[in-house]
Amino acid sequence: MAVNEALVQDIVKEVLAKMNISGSPKGMHGIYTSMEDAIEAARKSQQIMRNLSMDQREKIIQIIRRKTHENAEILARMGVDETGMGNVGDKILKHHLVADKTPGTEDIKTEAYSGDRGLTLVEMGPFGVIGAITPCTNPSETVLCNTIGMIAGGNTVVFNPHPAATKTTIFAINMVNEASLEAGGPDNIAVTVEQPTLETSAIMMKSPVIHLIVATGGPGVVTTVLSSGKKGIGAGAGNPPALVDETADIAKAAQDIVNGCTFDNNLPCIAEKEIVAVDSIADELMNEMITNQGCYLASKEVQDKLIATVMDAKGRLNRKCVGRSAKALLKMVGIDVPDNIRCIVFEGPKEHPLISTELMMPILGMVRCKDFDEALDAAVWLEHGNRHSAHIHSKNVDRITRYARAMDTAILVKNGPSYAALGFGGESICTFTIASRTGEGLTSAKSFTKARRCVMSDSLCIR
Ligand code: NAD
């Protein structure tokens, strides 16, 4: 459905004005001034949620899906307006993907054992109230995806979002509560505070009401959550390499890699962050990217200017550069390029700061290696042990297998763009919380449940 541009801008302005952060967001469901009040509201809501039938939970989820489709453009524009990161077109696609491919109650399966001594069921029940910490890179996408999975499991959720994405998060949280009320469910299935801080996060983590904390973000937050003394699901940072060997279809590899790298201006944690190419095809690959895939070849001088602009002397990222387009980044270093330039490329050693750092910008350095073995070692080094995501373009099954084993990542895409792992052009569920560090991988409703054994001794086996 085509959306009227002026109308959407008006809605975004109206919503942002309504949520003037100095005042209370008027009339928004699930939004509290204090974290204690937010947790209490989610606790009460969970008492109702736990008694809803699976059908009733599924009805709420269906309405969240519908509202996410209807509001995809508004949410995308709000995310870009508020954080300054990413691009509206790709963020719209991400919201449709969340609505279509995030698993609901069907993800929760019961195991049964039956025999001479009776019947035993292992059922997956709710944790109760979950605490969730969300990133500024996919703010509403993560809130919506987490909420669908968490309520499918019978939980309610308290969010402590990134402060840079508060308004977008509040809009999404209000929307899921409206969906629940429309379905006849409780209010406050998801809650948050008007002004999230590290203090509100600490209150949430220490609350006796909360038994599971799900953190999506960089290494700092995952470490904090895993030190909380509670069960944590840690979806941390990545730095995914794309390895290309001499057996690959080089034109397709160039297209897939640049498409994946530039999706939402490189914000997804799974997106290609650097290339490792074997020497015999490296020139051809670079040439393809420059000639046919809208890449700008950065000279040594431009690389140095980019380093000085996108990070400080200690290698910390300049937040004003994260999630910006290639054109915007080049403009920051004094270079004007046409609109069809979508990625900045160059060749360098693996230690180059623009290659070894997880930039979340469409800057793609290529490391040249003499053969596959050297490329494999470089890719392992570049992934920094995150074990998050890695990609490969090769027709050699033995090499793909060796790569998969050596990388040991939660996601490995072969001969496709990274976003195939999220269900775009690939067979997969969608999630924006990829728990590489704690091992759940692509999280879904079942990740947010706990196993409960229910035993009927000596009865109900009718075999
Ligand atoms: P970030 O780490 O700066 O912030 C993420 C969240 O953690 C925010 O809500 C922030 O307020 C909170 N936070 C940070 N430090 C904290 C602490 N010490 N205690 C409590 N809360 C804390 O990350 P970001 O810039 O918002 O997002 C980008 C990072 O997240 C990248 O490293 C990216 O790879 C990663 N990421 C991972 C996944 C995944 O599924 N694995 C998904 C998206 C983003």
Side-chain angles (χ1 to χ4, degrees):
M1 184 180 62
V3 181
N4 179 318
E5 172 85 14
L7 181 68
V8 172
Q9 284 300 7
D10 283 351
I11 295 171
V12 170
K13 264 194 220 139
E14 191 188 313
V15 174
L16 290 175
K18 214 177 181 184
M19 293 193 285
N20 179 354
I21 214 67
S22 58
S24 180
K26 296 169 196 66
M28 308 292 269
H29 294 271
I31 316 305
Y32 290 84
T33 306
S34 87
M35 179 52 90
E36 287 87 348
D37 289 348
I39 294 170
E40 178 56 15
R43 189 192 66 75
K44 284 188 182 147
S45 182
Q46 207 270 326
Q47 300 295 313
I48 303 170
M49 179 67 77
R50 66 188 305 165
N51 290 316
L52 293 187
S53 68
M54 293 298 251
D55 270 0
Q56 285 169 312
R57 284 186 215 166
E58 197 50 43
K59 195 169 168 203
I60 299 172
I61 291 169
Q62 289 308 326
I63 299 177
I64 295 176
R65 294 189 198 280
R66 192 196 78 215
K67 283 183 182 287
T68 303
H69 279 307
E70 288 168 356
N71 289 283
E73 179 160 357
I74 291 168
L75 286 159
R77 283 196 190 281
M78 285 187 79
V80 173
D81 281 359
E82 187 179 15
T83 65
M85 298 177 186
N87 68 69
V88 172
D90 290 341
K91 281 201 188 293
I92 291 174
L93 292 174
K94 285 162 83 178
H95 284 87
H96 289 308
L97 185 71
V98 166
D100 287 334
K101 290 204 164 181
T102 304
T105 53
E106 75 285 359
D107 194 50
I108 296 162
K109 305 249 172 11
T110 298
E111 266 178 52
Y113 302 82
S114 75
D116 296 344
R117 299 307 309 269
L119 173 71
T120 293
L121 300 177
V122 181
E123 297 213 291
M124 306 310 292
F127 273 89
V129 182
I130 298 177
I133 298 174
T134 49
C136 55
T137 47
N138 316 306
S140 44
E141 300 91 313
T142 311
V143 164
L144 294 166
C145 187
N146 281 356
T147 303
I148 291 174
M150 289 171 185
I151 66 163
N155 308 281
T156 57
V157 48
V158 180
F159 284 103
N160 201 75
H162 195 292
T166 311
K167 294 175 185 180
T168 312
T169 304
I170 286 176
F171 186 88
I173 288 177
N174 178 60
M175 196 182 91
V176 299
N177 285 311
E178 285 181 348
S180 180
L181 291 168
E182 193 179 322
D187 201 356
N188 296 312
I189 61 169
V191 297
T192 192
V193 285
E194 289 165 27
Q195 296 190 29
T197 59
L198 288 182
E199 285 71 38
T200 56
S201 179
I203 294 169
M204 184 184 84
M205 280 191 246
K206 286 190 194 124
S207 167
V209 172
I210 291 175
H211 300 289
L212 169 65
I213 302 165
V214 179
T216 311
V221 63
V222 173
T223 300
T224 304
V225 163
L226 295 184
S227 317
S228 69
K230 296 192 173 171
K231 178 173 165 74
I233 294 182
N239 191 39
L243 189 154
V244 187
D245 78 6
E246 68 279 19
T247 68
D249 176 338
I250 302 303
K252 181 174 183 306
Q255 184 179 41
D256 288 344
I257 291 170
V258 178
N259 283 349
C261 169
T262 55
F263 186 63
D264 206 16
N265 297 345
N266 200 244
L267 285 179
C269 50
I270 61 159
E272 294 83 349
K273 300 285 190 283
E274 64 277 336
I275 297 174
V276 181
V278 301
D279 181 41
S280 59
I281 50 84
D283 290 335
E284 187 188 346
L285 181 66
M286 184 60 90
N287 188 42
E288 269 294 331
M289 293 195 292
I290 296 165
T291 314
N292 296 322
Q293 296 304 330
C295 291
Y296 173 91
L297 180 63
S299 63
K300 172 81 177 65
E301 189 193 345
V302 173
Q303 291 168 41
D304 289 343
K305 282 187 185 167
L306 282 169
I307 294 171
T309 305
V310 307
M311 58 180 69
D312 67 13
K314 290 189 173 159
R316 288 176 301 211
L317 295 183
N318 175 357
R319 285 275 162 185
K320 293 196 174 123
C321 299
V322 173
R324 298 306 194 276
S325 67
K327 187 177 164 78
L329 291 168
L330 286 167
K331 199 167 173 93
M332 289 180 200
V333 296
I335 295 166
D336 269 324
V337 291
D339 287 348
N340 67 345
I341 290 298
R342 55 187 186 135
C343 191
I344 301 165
V345 291
F346 64 96
E347 186 178 329
K350 67 180 189 314
E351 296 81 7
H352 192 295
L354 296 179
I355 296 180
S356 61
T357 313
E358 185 202 26
L359 295 176
M360 295 176 283
M361 303 167 203
I363 298 177
L364 202 48
M366 183 180 79
V367 180
R368 185 187 292 260
C369 297
K370 74 175 181 338
D371 56 20
F372 177 79
D373 287 349
E374 194 177 292
L376 183 74
D377 290 345
V380 169
W381 185 87
L382 282 161
E383 216 271 324
H384 304 311
N386 294 319
R387 295 184 169 84
H388 188 297
S389 298
H391 314 299
I392 183 166
H393 297 263
S394 172
K395 299 263 171 71
N396 183 320
V397 175
D398 293 339
R399 284 183 180 178
I400 294 175
T401 309
R402 274 182 64 202
Y403 186 69
R405 287 192 178 144
M407 299 307 298
D408 193 20
T409 45
I411 285 178
L412 188 116
V413 177
K414 306 146 190 104
N415 300 318
S418 52
Y419 48 68
L422 296 185
F424 275 130
E427 286 301 326
S428 174
I429 65 155
C430 168
T431 184
F432 281 92
T433 296
I434 297 141
S436 44
R437 195 144 152 210
T438 47
E440 291 79 5
L442 282 87
T443 59
S444 60
K446 65 175 173 292
S447 321
F448 310 126
T449 55
K450 57 184 183 187
R452 293 183 310 191
R453 175 174 286 219
C454 177
V455 181
M456 174 65 87
S457 183
D458 293 332
S459 295
L460 280 182
C461 173
I462 51 171
R463 286 195 290 184

